[in-house]
């Protein structure tokens, strides 16, 4: 008899275990991880740079790790804040994983770090499924991306503990409908806080830092309905208005047929688990390559893959 093994479920379950262990380890040393997710070009790097500068002004020990498929541009920008910054190049992998994050923090993250901001790969699909051991998960969207973004990416927005709207200084020019955006967020994640920001004009500056510090101090963070449903049933769901979008069976051929890139008909190739190549550029930000080898072609009909959000404390 042939037994079908859902490799993606196994990979995600393993990641969840590693993430919880990392969360407990960092929490014990007083470090709070903030996981930042968004589409490319959302303005999260610009906003994060301002928040890091503000943290330094307030004498809050912070650090930032930024992940991209290629280039160290974001690390160069963030390093201008004067805080410890590390660049991770995933060489095609469309998300970070808890084990990968833990390896890059080992021996690098200063012991007194109070907040670690992780700028995930620009992507609202793959990163949504991976807990990084964060205490606060933040999803950002710019006013240029459209009010229906939360409905198009219910997993990302549905598991957020905070939603940040960026580039509000051009909201009128692009005819951004704030009320419609808020209503759409409410549909996938009832009760989540939405903050409006402009890195250019300074609107909402400090709110992200304040929410991160509050999470680290033990203040209750928002628990998305989607996360509660997952914890109760043990299944992956991404429901919008009662319609389930997140099954890993049936329509999602996440059985992987022996192969998995874990993302969107993935065809990226990653080399050698755990192998990294490090150097420190002149600007002082560490720069890592993360090479993973994942053989695979996952057939996916586009249903979002959902995993539990970060554990609340």
């Amino acid at each position: 008899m042939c037994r079908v093994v859902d490799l993606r479920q196994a990979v995600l379950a393993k990641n969840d275990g590693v993430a919880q262990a990392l969360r407990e380890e960092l929490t014990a040393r007083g470090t709070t991880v903030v996981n930042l997710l968004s589409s490319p070009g959302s303005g999260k790097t610009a906003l994060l740079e301002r928040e890091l500068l503000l943290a330094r002004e307030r004498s809050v020990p912070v650090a930032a790790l930024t992940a991209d498929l290629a280039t160290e541009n974001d690390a160069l920008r963030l390093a201008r804040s004067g805080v410890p910054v590390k660049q991770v190049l995933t060489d095609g992998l469309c998300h970070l994983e808890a084990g990968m994050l833990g390896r890059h923090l080992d021996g690098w993250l200063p012991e007194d770090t109070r907040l670690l901001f992780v700028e995930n790969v620009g992507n609202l699909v793959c990163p949504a499924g991976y807990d990084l051991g964060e205490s606060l998960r933040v999803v950002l969207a710019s006013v240029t991306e459209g009010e229906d973004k939360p409905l198009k990416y219910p997993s990302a927005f549905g598991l957020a503990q905070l939603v940040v709207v960026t580039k509000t200084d051009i909201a009128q020019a692009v005819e951004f409908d704030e009320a419609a955006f808020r209503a759409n967020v409410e549909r996938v994640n009832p009760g989540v806080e939405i903050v409006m920001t402009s890195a250019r004009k300074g609107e909402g500056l400090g709110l992200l830092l304040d929410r991160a510090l509050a999470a680290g101090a033990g203040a209750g963070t928002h628990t998305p309905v989607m996360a509660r449903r997952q914890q109760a049933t043990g299944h992956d769901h991404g429901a919008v208005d009662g319609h389930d979008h997140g099954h890993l069976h049936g329509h999602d051929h996440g059985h992987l047929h022996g192969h998995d890139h874990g993302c969107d008909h993935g065809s990226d190739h990653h080399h050698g688990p755990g192998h990294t190549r490090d150097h420190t550029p002149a600007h002082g930000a560490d720069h890592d390559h993360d090479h993973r080898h994942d053989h695979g072609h996952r057939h996916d009909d586009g249903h979002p893959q959902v995993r539990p959000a970060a554990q609340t404390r």
Side-chain angles (χ1 to χ4, degrees), residues 184-268:
N184 289 334
V185 171
E186 185 70 12
R187 286 178 63 186
V188 299
N189 195 346
V192 69
E193 183 182 10
I194 302 171
V195 299
M196 312 298 288
T197 67
S198 167
R200 179 177 295 177
K201 298 293 185 179
E203 179 185 357
L205 184 62
L207 289 176
L208 176 57
L209 179 61
D210 290 342
R211 301 303 184 267
L213 288 170
T221 53
H222 172 71
T223 302
V225 171
M226 190 181 294
R228 293 199 297 267
R229 183 183 301 114
Q230 291 171 355
Q231 292 163 2
T233 65
H235 295 294
D236 291 318
H237 293 289
V240 180
D241 291 345
H243 299 287
D244 195 15
H245 294 271
H247 293 295
L248 290 180
H249 52 80
H251 292 298
D252 180 332
H253 305 286
H255 311 299
L256 312 177
H257 306 296
H259 298 287
D260 188 8
H261 282 300
C263 174
D264 279 340
H265 305 283
S267 58
D268 298 327

Side-chain angles (χ1 to χ4, degrees), residues 32-37 43-52 54-55 58 62 115-119 136-140 161-166 193 195-197 203-216:
T32 299
V33 177
V34 181
N35 186 6
L36 304 176
L37 292 81
K44 67 179 179 293
T45 304
L47 179 63
L48 180 54
E49 183 182 0
R50 295 291 303 273
E51 296 286 340
L52 294 176
L54 183 59
R58 294 183 182 179
V62 296
L115 295 176
L116 170 64
F117 289 95
V118 178
E119 185 179 16
L136 184 65
R137 176 175 290 209
V138 183
V139 173
L140 301 90
Q161 293 168 298
L162 178 67
V163 174
V164 176
V165 178
T166 61
E193 183 182 10
V195 299
M196 312 298 288
T197 67
E203 179 185 357
L205 184 62
L207 289 176
L208 176 57
L209 179 61
D210 290 342
R211 301 303 184 267
L213 288 170

Side-chain angles (χ1 to χ4, degrees), residues 4-8 250-261 295-300:
V4 176
V5 178
D6 191 336
L7 298 181
R8 181 171 175 80
H251 292 298
D252 180 332
H253 305 286
H255 311 299
L256 312 177
H257 306 296
H259 298 287
D260 188 8
H261 282 300
H295 301 279
H297 305 284
R298 178 168 68 85
H299 302 290
D300 192 340

Side-chain angles (χ1 to χ4, degrees), residues 74-87:
D74 288 350
L76 287 166
R77 292 178 60 184
L78 295 179
R80 296 185 304 202
S81 66
V83 309
V85 174
K86 189 168 195 176
Q87 177 80 58

